[in-house]
Amino acid sequence: MKALELTMVLEQGLEFVESLDEEAYRRPQEELGLASIGDHYRHHLDYVGTFLRGIQEGTVDYDDRRRDVGVATCQQEARRETERLLKEISSLPSGEEPLEVVQQVVDGKPPQRWPSTVGREISFVITHGVHHFAMMAIAARALGVRPPATLGVMPSTIAYQRTIRAAGE
């Protein structure tokens, strides 16, 4: 089930990215610390790709990312990378398979290592993606582009807002 959810997140991101013109995708935004929407989308794809590569190796090292500038600056490259990742996701294991996660969390300190599972890391890359989509939505609004209302909003928040609206009716 989580593979389907990750697929949905990737498809939502790609749909949004493709709704932008090339300038909006590449333009550095003050609201993003001079990163672009493309930079944030590339970063999200990097995490997904690193996770998928780590499944094969048994260790996910989130610091060992591709950082492909082409994906950050060209929507066609972003589409190709997204489609490649979607194909890989279609053959994900069930979720309980063990993994080791490696990531430097404090500057100047060695990377930390934790036990995890495929399912837990799918959840992580989904929430990490939603976080970056929220930043992309802020940047889009600053450019005068109206993103979808649910872009960058956690599914639990959407469900909560639906409950609040229903209670108020």
Side-chain angles (χ1 to χ4, degrees):
M1 185 62 156
K2 289 182 188 252
L4 174 62
E5 294 159 347
L6 180 54
T7 296
M8 291 169 58
V9 168
L10 281 169
E11 289 172 345
Q12 180 190 38
L14 181 60
E15 184 178 331
F16 171 67
V17 161
E18 290 187 327
S19 75
L20 301 171
D21 64 39
E22 197 78 28
E23 167 64 17
Y25 183 72
R26 290 192 314 242
R27 185 177 187 190
Q29 293 291 303
E30 189 173 331
E31 295 78 7
L32 298 178
L34 296 181
S36 67
I37 291 172
D39 289 327
H40 279 268
Y41 190 64
R42 188 257 331 137
H43 179 77
H44 165 60
L45 295 182
D46 275 354
Y47 266 70
V48 174
T50 299
F51 160 66
L52 293 171
R53 188 174 65 248
I55 290 173
Q56 297 168 357
E57 299 167 1
T59 299
V60 179
D61 181 349
Y62 286 114
D63 298 327
D64 185 22
R65 299 186 306 274
R66 288 183 57 208
R67 296 177 169 95
D68 184 346
V69 175
V71 172
T73 58
C74 176
Q75 289 163 299
Q76 289 177 350
E77 289 294 318
R79 170 176 263 295
R80 279 193 281 277
E81 179 64 4
T82 304
E83 289 172 348
R84 184 185 73 74
L85 294 172
L86 286 167
K87 285 180 188 167
E88 284 190 45
I89 289 167
S90 68
S91 62
L92 272 177
S94 66
E96 295 308 313
E97 293 79 3
L99 287 173
E100 179 181 51
V101 173
V102 178
Q103 190 167 27
Q104 185 173 0
V105 294
V106 177
D107 185 34
K109 301 279 185 179
Q112 300 291 305
R113 295 180 173 274
W114 300 278
S116 190
T117 64
V118 168
R120 173 64 192 102
E121 295 311 305
I122 291 172
S123 293
F124 168 70
V125 294
I126 287 171
T127 59
H128 181 261
V130 171
H131 161 76
H132 281 277
F133 290 1
M135 296 172 76
M136 291 163 43
I138 290 167
R141 287 184 194 100
L143 292 170
V145 175
R146 187 177 190 163
T150 59
L151 184 72
V153 182
M154 287 295 296
S156 60
T157 302
I158 295 167
Y160 174 76
Q161 290 169 341
R162 194 177 306 125
T163 302
I164 296 299
R165 282 192 300 272
E169 292 176 358

